[in-house]
Amino acid sequence: MNYKEFIEQYTSGKLSVYIHKSYALRVISAGYLPKRYYWAHTFWSWVWLLSIPTGIILLFFNVGIG
């Protein structure tokens, strides 16, 4: 299958693509993509990671929204 056939079948819905998360992370960390994707992934990983202790601290101090 060449690239043109792949695009035609993918856009028509005859073909579905599954990409494993660990392979996608390897592509980001190996430097195959521009650095902005690496830094965006790093930033959002830290935001997600720091949201957990922030939520726990807010629960501890009983800070509510509204």
Side-chain angles (χ1 to χ4, degrees):
M1 172 185 300
N2 62 23
Y3 181 71
K4 185 178 178 181
E5 292 171 348
F6 170 78
I7 294 297
E8 289 172 358
Q9 290 186 11
Y10 181 74
T11 55
S12 68
K14 295 178 184 176
L15 181 69
S16 62
V17 178
Y18 174 76
I19 300 172
H20 199 275
K21 289 180 183 180
S22 66
Y23 296 149
L25 290 175
R26 278 192 212 169
V27 169
I28 290 173
S29 62
Y32 293 119
L33 297 175
K35 283 293 184 187
R36 64 185 168 135
Y37 294 111
Y38 171 78
W39 291 115
H41 170 70
T42 303
F43 172 77
W44 288 113
S45 295
W46 276 102
V47 167
W48 175 83
L49 187 65
L50 293 175
S51 69
I52 295 170
T54 303
I56 293 171
I57 289 169
L58 291 176
L59 272 171
F60 180 72
F61 287 113
N62 199 15
V63 176
I65 301 174

